[in-house]
Amino acid sequence: ITDSQDSLARRCICLSTILRNLTFVPGNEHEFAKSNIFLSILGKLLLIHHDHPIRTKKQRNYDREEDADFSDSCSSLQGESEWWWDFLVQIRENMLVALTNISGYLDLSIYDEHVSRPILDGLLHWSVCPSAHGQDPFPTLANNSFLSPQRLALEALCKLCVIDSNVDLVIATPPFVRLEKLCAVLTKHLCKNEDQVLREFSVNLLHYLAGADSIMSRIIARQSPCVSYLVAFIEQAEQTALGVASQHGINFLRENPDSMGTSLDMLRRAAGTLL
């Protein structure tokens, strides 16, 4: 990497970190959510240089090493032409965190498609992306961190879908088969008792999607274990609540409903999705 390349990359990381940190300051979320320029840049950065090329089957001669061709392999193997590879991961992390922070205040329906479409496309892609890059924790974080692009994308979608118009835009973002994959991913997370945060993201998103469109309701219902997982989510909270009530009394449970392992709102959404 040349000095000029290194300087440019570090400047980009510095700027993206400043923007990310500013989104943590209370009140700034509204300003970022109103910024057409910021949202345009953010949408472009979510999926920049990330693609899944169609794999072609080739007859390889394994006896001749000189015939090895990695042109269709992972693009990080292509060497000097992609010197920015390691820097890009950190910039994408900063942008995903910033988007997650402002999503609860962001109404994408007021923006043109060239602004809203890349943001929704990026979030939906990272929510279902099967690659290790999408599901593994960011390499810049500590070893005990669980923060991955998929986790941040699901959190951002949950916050976006609080606004009804955003739910409609999510459902309208092609390809439709990706929404079916999203429902399958959310159903898979429902059974992860050890990760309550992901379970609640899934309950929230399934609730918003099912309530917005009857076609989405049918797709969710067709995920064969989804109904049983939602029932199990409610029953598990009920069993925990009974244990807390028997140990500390019913008044303690009334004053501390979250002691059952989830909130009453989450139980209502799970029940609403079933309905």
Side-chain angles (χ1 to χ4, degrees):
I1 301 177
T2 66
D3 289 343
S4 60
Q5 289 172 337
D6 184 67
S7 174
L8 177 64
R10 292 184 184 281
R11 226 178 310 155
C12 291
I13 289 176
C14 182
L15 284 168
S16 66
T17 303
I18 290 171
L19 291 170
R20 162 189 168 146
N21 292 345
L22 282 171
T23 62
F24 282 100
V25 180
N28 281 356
E29 310 97 328
H30 298 280
E31 302 304 321
F32 278 102
K34 291 187 295 185
S35 173
N36 206 313
I37 296 174
F38 174 73
L39 294 175
S40 298
I41 296 172
L42 189 149
K44 293 174 183 175
L45 290 175
L46 286 181
L47 289 177
I48 189 170
H49 296 310
H50 177 83
D51 55 3
H52 295 259
I54 299 174
R55 300 191 178 194
T56 56
K57 292 183 179 180
K58 292 182 180 180
Q59 190 68 35
R60 296 193 182 277
N61 184 351
Y62 292 99
D63 295 330
R64 299 181 62 191
E65 182 63 28
E66 62 270 18
D67 287 345
D69 177 19
F70 296 105
S71 61
D72 63 340
S73 301
C74 177
S75 54
S76 61
L77 298 177
Q78 293 176 9
E80 295 179 358
S81 63
E82 298 189 347
W83 57 269
W84 36 257
W85 191 264
D86 291 331
F87 303 104
L88 188 61
V89 175
Q90 192 166 347
I91 293 173
R92 183 176 288 127
E93 177 194 338
N94 287 339
M95 291 296 98
L96 276 168
V97 171
L99 179 55
T100 303
N101 287 342
I102 69 172
S103 289
Y105 306 86
L106 183 57
D107 183 0
L108 289 173
S109 65
I110 66 176
Y111 295 101
D112 294 335
E113 187 178 359
H114 75 273
V115 175
S116 60
R117 176 80 171 269
I119 292 175
L120 292 170
D121 191 45
L123 289 179
L124 287 170
H125 178 87
W126 287 118
S127 296
V128 302
C129 182
S131 69
H133 186 63
Q135 299 194 19
D136 288 351
F138 288 103
T140 56
L141 304 177
N143 292 333
N144 59 350
S145 174
F146 297 103
L147 206 61
S148 65
Q150 184 184 67
R151 198 181 185 95
L152 284 173
L154 289 174
E155 181 179 351
L157 282 174
C158 281
K159 292 178 178 179
L160 278 175
C161 288
V162 171
I163 301 174
D164 291 341
S165 56
N166 286 339
V167 184
D168 296 335
L169 288 175
V170 168
I171 295 174
T173 304
F176 192 76
V177 67
R178 185 166 57 184
L179 289 174
E180 295 177 329
K181 288 181 182 177
L182 177 62
C183 292
V185 167
L186 297 176
T187 300
K188 182 180 73 173
H189 289 322
L190 278 178
C191 68
K192 294 184 176 179
N193 296 344
E194 72 281 0
D195 196 336
Q196 186 67 9
V197 174
L198 268 183
R199 285 183 85 193
E200 295 195 356
F201 285 165
S202 300
V203 170
N204 269 322
L205 268 176
L206 289 170
H207 171 69
Y208 293 132
L209 293 174
D213 187 77
S214 59
I215 296 177
M216 291 304 302
S217 296
R218 284 194 287 273
I219 290 173
I220 292 169
R222 287 212 310 267
Q223 306 296 324
S224 54
C226 189
V227 171
S228 58
Y229 285 161
L230 286 169
V231 172
F233 180 82
I234 296 171
E235 289 180 338
Q236 182 180 353
E238 183 187 26
Q239 289 299 318
T240 306
L242 290 173
V244 171
S246 63
Q247 186 173 0
H248 300 286
I250 192 71
N251 288 330
F252 177 86
L253 182 63
R254 286 198 185 110
E255 294 170 3
N256 304 277
D258 291 349
S259 61
M260 65 178 126
T262 188
S263 66
L264 290 173
D265 281 339
M266 293 306 304
L267 293 176
R268 290 190 189 100
R269 286 169 193 161
T273 308
L274 288 169
L275 184 63

